[in-house]
Amino acid sequence: MDQDQKKETAIGSLFAQWTKSQADLWEDMIRMQFGMSDASEKSRKNPLHQTQKAYESGSKILGALISTLSEPENLESALKGMDSLPEFMMHITQQAYEGYLEFQKKIVEIAAKIGQHTEAYKFEGIDQNIFKVWRDIYEKEFRQYLNVPQLGLNRFHQERIARLIDTLNIFQASLNEFIYMFYIPIEKSGAVMQEKIEQLAEKGEIHDNFKEYYNMWIKTLEGHYMTLLKSPEYAEVMNNTINALVQYREAKQEVLYDILKEFPIPTNKDMDELYNDLYILKKKVSDLSRKLEESRGV
Amino acid sequence: MSQTNIAVNLILKKLAETTGKAKIKVRKASEVLLSPLDTELSKTPYEVVYKEDRVGLKYYKPSEVKHKYPLLIVYALINRETMLDLQPGRSVVQTFLDSGLEVYMVDWGYPTRKDKYVTIDDHVNGYMDNIVDFIRKKHGLPQINLMGICMGGAFCVMYSALHPEKIKNLVTTVTPTNFDTDKGLLHVWMKYTDAFLMGESYGNMPGDLMNLGFLLLNPARLILDKYVGFFENMDDKDFVENFIRMEKWIFDSPDVPAATFHQFVTDCYRKNLLIQNKLELNGRRVDLKNITMPLLNFYGQYDHLVPPEACELLTKAVGSKDTEDICLKTGHIGIYVSSKCQREFGPKIIKWLKEREGEPKTDKSPETSRTPSGSKIRRETVKYVSPKKIIGKESKPASPDLKKAK
């Protein structure tokens, strides 16, 4: 038996003694609290006696559990189970941290490109990576935690709230991308204007009327927007934003319906059902009236 | 590095002058903005003669009736029919009344959540049919004249194909019937995005969201330059009144019933069923060959919402031999509100309708030519202006007829 094994045995024996003393302590505590009551038939119906019994039963289970733990092999297995908790936490933290690092790396890559030449009237391959990266990371790393199956009585409510958080995140990411895309023509026309002014200055043709520059800028900006708005990239981003908005609104309404159910007011869902019935009825009445008029020869 | 030659002293001098002028302008502008302004729309008197749910029928009576058949105008579900009676001197309705034409105009009202299930069929074979029957009965006539605007024009085309016996003459203005074109941004967006989902999500398609979409069609002009123009001219009372009137009209946007919006996007914009005679309303196929009454088709050469490509196929697709295309050198709204078109658009319709009442012609007919299909096409003889100039002109903030998507 080497030194390590001896040490482990000593710790195991110490733990077994401690658990036994814990079990004894709980038994004594129960006995002390209820020790004064008698054991007659009458007193057995007494609520105090029933409580004592429940405590005794509970303490016995607790004692049994503690005694079980005092067995070295059981203790080892329990400790192994406990080991998995920090491992699980580690896993989550690692994934989140890796995601964050990846995100930061992309930001640095994009930041490095700042100042590079921006080509006027070109919208193919716009660098929206930052939004795509965030979305990718969110979808791969974080979203899964919101999709963990919910349990128990409130599982449906929890699922709805998780979906609301998820759709809100996606909508915000899509909206940011959309807004960024809308900003690009402003950036590009600024660059074009800078070039134009430089050219005018070189020729000594600088205008003294600010309106001339404004007209030049607005025309350039309009041209950039026209190019952007026709591009398939823009249509795709717009479509993503629309879909994300629709899904977020749907999720939000589901949560709202849950809340509003507790109040004596009808929800849109209730009203829509009613409106649909009304619509069908009106249509039937209108058809029947028409048929009646036709049969009368009106 | 080359030495630049900038006359800084001149720039500073100009800046000082501009600042002085701006001070005077702001003082005058505050006087204008704080004074009572006449910005009321739709001033021509009318009577609501028919009402069904949210839909009303406006009746404009001329001082002397000179036409046998009254005219029913069907506006789009987007924005409001007040555009046809924007202000005295810029009113299509007033032009019609001055010629002695009785005018009925559909007011679609403001759809609420209750209307979300209302389809195109309910609009065309429901509300429109009831209104046409009401007018026919009131006047004791088997037929009436029908005129449609934009989406309302598409409804009129559908109606005329399904109820040709009730329509004497059909006038379509900026009416999309061929949706298979990528010329207009609206066509592109409707085709490649799921915009119709928003209608279902919000109950109906919100008017404000549609307005936002229309502003995004030309953000530089419609969100920015337009208001720069306003600030430049806000010391001019007439300009301010016209501008505010237009603003009131532009942003007065009722929601569009979700079911109608969905159907219009999918069946028309995406599948282009109407021009192919494949569209069905409540199981009834809309066959354009059934349109055998005379047809007058107006559209704008520089219309960025309903481009000529979306309008010009109609006359060739219908069954009528008496058709005419008129392409005006203007945009979507310019047809109705620009001063130049005011002089041409209304009078042309009056004359065209009069000619088809069987009465003698009163003046010389315009320069026309016949297309191979038999339809006449008339192009304006106005000097050609490049599209770029037109865009600039149409979006010129100083003009009250600022183009806005519809």
Side-chain angles (χ1 to χ4, degrees):
Chain A
M1 193 182 278
D2 60 10
Q3 282 292 11
D4 285 349
Q5 274 175 325
K6 273 183 191 172
K7 209 173 171 182
E8 265 180 28
T9 318
I11 290 168
S13 157
L14 191 67
F15 186 76
Q17 279 181 11
W18 179 79
T19 48
K20 191 174 181 311
S21 71
Q22 284 294 305
D24 292 346
L25 174 74
W26 280 107
E27 215 178 317
D28 291 346
M29 286 283 282
I30 302 293
R31 219 176 281 145
M32 269 174 70
Q33 192 163 353
F34 300 101
M36 302 297 287
S37 60
D38 58 27
S40 65
E41 185 61 32
K42 195 183 168 188
S43 70
R44 271 192 204 116
K45 287 180 183 171
N46 188 316
L48 186 67
H49 180 76
Q50 286 176 359
T51 315
Q52 182 189 353
K53 280 280 174 200
Y55 263 96
E56 275 174 10
S57 160
S59 72
K60 273 175 190 165
I61 293 168
L62 185 69
L65 273 172
I66 293 170
S67 307
T68 316
L69 277 177
S70 68
E71 299 297 321
E73 59 275 20
N74 292 343
L75 176 67
E76 197 181 337
S77 121
L79 287 174
K80 267 188 185 166
M82 281 170 76
D83 274 352
S84 64
L85 185 68
E87 203 177 305
F88 170 71
M89 292 304 291
M90 233 358 216
H91 182 67
I92 292 180
T93 317
Q94 195 182 346
Q95 276 198 331
Y97 192 65
E98 275 173 9
Y100 172 72
L101 282 180
E102 181 71 12
F103 185 58
Q104 205 180 32
K105 197 176 139 196
K106 295 284 177 183
I107 288 180
V108 172
E109 278 173 17
I110 287 159
K113 287 182 190 171
I114 292 173
Q116 283 182 6
H117 181 65
T118 163
E119 231 179 320
Y121 301 102
K122 296 271 182 197
F123 288 93
E124 301 88 26
I126 293 166
D127 196 0
Q128 299 146 262
N129 274 344
I130 191 73
F131 301 103
K132 287 202 169 77
V133 166
W134 161 242
R135 205 173 160 141
D136 277 359
I137 290 170
Y138 173 73
E139 283 176 359
K140 282 177 196 155
E141 309 291 346
F142 297 103
R143 194 179 213 179
Q144 55 188 319
Y145 297 109
L146 290 168
N147 289 335
V148 169
Q150 304 292 328
L151 306 171
L153 189 64
N154 285 324
R155 72 171 305 282
F156 286 110
H157 304 290
Q158 285 160 357
E159 252 178 18
R160 278 176 205 136
I161 287 170
R163 192 178 163 232
L164 175 62
I165 297 166
D166 180 33
T167 51
L168 176 63
N169 287 334
I170 293 285
F171 171 56
Q172 278 180 337
S174 310
L175 188 64
N176 287 342
E177 191 177 359
F178 183 72
I179 290 169
Y180 169 74
M181 204 166 210
F182 230 78
Y183 161 75
I184 294 171
I186 297 174
E187 185 188 305
K188 283 183 184 285
S189 45
V192 171
M193 277 304 288
Q194 203 179 333
E195 281 174 25
K196 279 185 184 174
I197 291 172
E198 272 173 17
Q199 283 168 8
L200 286 173
E202 277 170 18
K203 288 179 195 166
E205 290 173 4
I206 287 283
H207 297 290
D208 56 359
N209 188 353
F210 177 75
K211 191 72 205 277
E212 295 285 334
Y213 295 107
Y214 169 76
N215 287 341
M216 214 189 282
W217 176 73
I218 201 85
K219 209 172 159 187
T220 314
L221 184 65
E222 189 181 22
H224 276 112
Y225 269 123
M226 286 301 135
T227 317
L228 168 73
L229 300 179
K230 280 178 195 161
S231 68
E233 287 86 357
Y234 176 78
E236 191 195 332
V237 170
M238 185 157 90
N239 196 36
N240 287 343
T241 312
I242 289 170
N243 280 305
L245 169 68
V246 168
Q247 290 193 359
Y248 162 63
R249 279 185 56 82
E250 232 173 66
K252 193 176 79 175
Q253 275 163 7
E254 287 294 324
V255 172
L256 266 178
Y257 294 151
D258 273 359
I259 298 165
L260 289 174
K261 246 190 327 197
E262 302 305 318
F263 298 95
I265 45 171
T267 62
N268 277 341
K269 209 173 179 177
D270 302 327
M271 293 309 293
D272 283 348
E273 282 173 18
L274 198 65
Y275 290 147
N276 196 25
D277 290 346
L278 193 68
Y279 169 75
I280 293 166
L281 281 172
K282 272 173 96 171
K283 221 169 153 87
K284 269 187 187 167
V285 169
S286 167
D287 284 348
L288 288 171
S289 305
R290 197 164 286 189
K291 277 178 190 162
L292 194 67
E293 280 179 10
E294 278 170 12
S295 69
R296 279 182 186 162
V298 178
Chain B
M1 199 175 165
S2 63
Q3 180 76 35
T4 56
N5 184 14
I6 304 171
V8 178
N9 56 335
L10 282 179
I11 293 172
L12 292 176
K13 193 182 161 200
K14 188 79 183 175
L15 195 67
E17 279 173 20
T18 315
T19 313
K21 279 180 192 167
K23 199 177 160 189
I24 299 166
K25 198 181 265 287
V26 167
R27 202 176 56 231
K28 273 189 186 171
S30 68
E31 281 167 19
V32 169
L33 293 174
L34 295 173
S35 68
L37 294 170
D38 176 15
T39 59
E40 203 186 329
L41 300 178
S42 194
K43 277 183 162 181
T44 309
Y46 64 85
E47 191 187 342
V48 177
V49 289
Y50 177 87
K51 191 94 183 134
E52 186 182 350
D53 302 334
R54 68 175 201 278
V55 181
L57 181 66
K58 290 176 173 178
Y59 172 54
Y60 296 87
K61 192 178 180 185
S63 50
E64 189 189 350
V65 179
K66 292 180 189 166
H67 290 254
K68 187 178 170 188
Y69 299 94
L71 175 69
L72 170 64
I73 302 175
V74 181
Y75 197 77
L77 294 180
I78 298 156
N79 284 110
R80 300 205 62 216
E81 75 292 342
T82 47
M83 194 263 288
L84 291 176
D85 187 26
L86 204 60
Q87 67 189 82
R90 265 190 192 151
S91 166
V92 176
V93 169
Q94 194 57 54
T95 309
F96 289 156
L97 292 182
D98 291 345
S99 79
L101 180 63
E102 284 175 283
V103 178
Y104 289 89
M105 194 146 65
V106 176
D107 172 2
W108 292 117
Y110 294 87
T112 61
R113 204 169 175 100
K114 183 166 77 76
D115 299 295
K116 70 180 280 188
Y117 301 102
V118 176
T119 59
I120 295 180
D121 173 60
D122 297 315
H123 284 99
V124 174
N125 291 317
Y127 298 125
M128 269 181 76
D129 194 35
N130 292 341
I131 284 171
V132 170
D133 285 349
F134 169 82
I135 300 170
R136 286 165 62 227
K137 197 173 170 187
K138 187 183 165 201
H139 290 264
L141 290 167
Q143 292 178 317
I144 61 164
N145 292 322
L146 186 62
M147 172 176 156
I149 288 146
C150 191
M151 185 189 196
F155 284 3
C156 288
V157 169
M158 295 171 201
Y159 184 83
S160 303
L162 292 170
H163 307 272
E165 71 286 357
K166 296 180 185 178
I167 303 303
K168 172 82 177 155
N169 300 296
L170 174 63
V171 182
T172 49
T173 64
V174 294
T175 294
T177 44
N178 169 40
F179 297 83
D180 189 18
T181 169
D182 283 348
K183 290 280 177 188
L185 266 182
L186 209 56
H187 288 259
V188 177
W189 291 355
M190 287 295 151
K191 217 178 280 178
Y192 301 114
T193 68
D194 298 329
F196 62 87
L197 290 178
M198 285 204 287
E200 278 142 44
S201 173
Y202 282 89
N204 289 322
M205 184 63 193
D208 285 342
L209 262 186
M210 280 188 295
N211 265 332
L212 176 67
F214 296 140
L215 293 180
L216 296 185
L217 289 169
N218 191 351
R221 297 285 176 191
L222 299 176
I223 299 176
L224 203 64
D225 190 47
K226 181 177 137 181
Y227 296 101
V228 170
F230 176 74
F231 283 110
E232 280 179 343
N233 293 282
M234 62 184 181
D235 54 335
D236 176 349
K237 194 172 179 181
D238 277 349
F239 175 88
V240 170
E241 285 182 343
N242 290 342
F243 191 94
I244 300 294
R245 245 182 237 123
M246 205 61 190
E247 285 286 282
K248 276 186 173 179
W249 175 77
I250 286 171
F251 295 111
D252 181 11
S253 296
D255 299 348
V256 178
T260 301
F261 185 70
H262 190 157
Q263 196 182 358
F264 202 71
V265 172
T266 50
D267 286 357
C268 296
Y269 277 101
R270 291 194 164 185
K271 297 180 188 164
N272 193 27
L273 298 180
L274 182 59
I275 200 74
Q276 303 176 66
N277 299 324
K278 288 179 184 169
L279 181 73
E280 284 193 8
L281 297 184
N282 199 22
R284 291 176 70 189
R285 193 168 65 87
V286 179
D287 186 352
L288 299 184
K289 292 287 171 211
N290 289 339
I291 299 180
T292 49
M293 71 289 299
L295 167 65
L296 176 62
N297 187 32
F298 276 99
Y299 48 90
Q301 190 171 347
Y302 309 120
D303 190 336
H304 62 298
L305 297 169
V306 184
E309 290 77 6
C311 308
E312 60 197 5
L313 295 188
L314 177 66
T315 44
K316 295 169 191 76
V318 296
S320 174
K321 294 282 176 206
D322 182 5
T323 63
E324 188 176 345
D325 282 310
I326 296 184
C327 180
L328 297 173
K329 288 188 191 303
T330 185
H332 195 65
I333 305 301
I335 284 189
Y336 314 98
V337 298
S338 86
S339 308
K340 189 171 80 66
C341 292
Q342 280 288 310
R343 290 191 295 273
E344 298 196 19
F345 176 71
K348 168 66 192 174
I349 294 172
I350 294 161
K351 195 165 80 61
W352 187 84
L353 290 175
K354 199 80 182 164
E355 284 169 0
R356 279 146 191 85
E357 276 188 2
E359 290 176 20
K361 289 180 186 178
T362 50
D363 59 353
K364 201 182 163 189
S365 55
E367 203 180 303
T368 56
S369 60
R370 248 171 216 287
T371 64
S373 66
S375 74
K376 282 189 280 184
I377 184 159
R378 200 195 109 199
R379 300 273 172 189
E380 283 185 320
T381 48
V382 185
K383 196 176 119 189
Y384 178 76
V385 189
S386 78
K388 271 191 178 175
K389 274 191 178 173
I390 286 288
I391 288 168
K393 190 184 167 193
E394 281 190 350
S395 309
K396 192 182 163 193
S399 164
D401 44 329
L402 233 171
K403 297 311 148 286
K404 183 223 163 223
K406 191 163 71 64

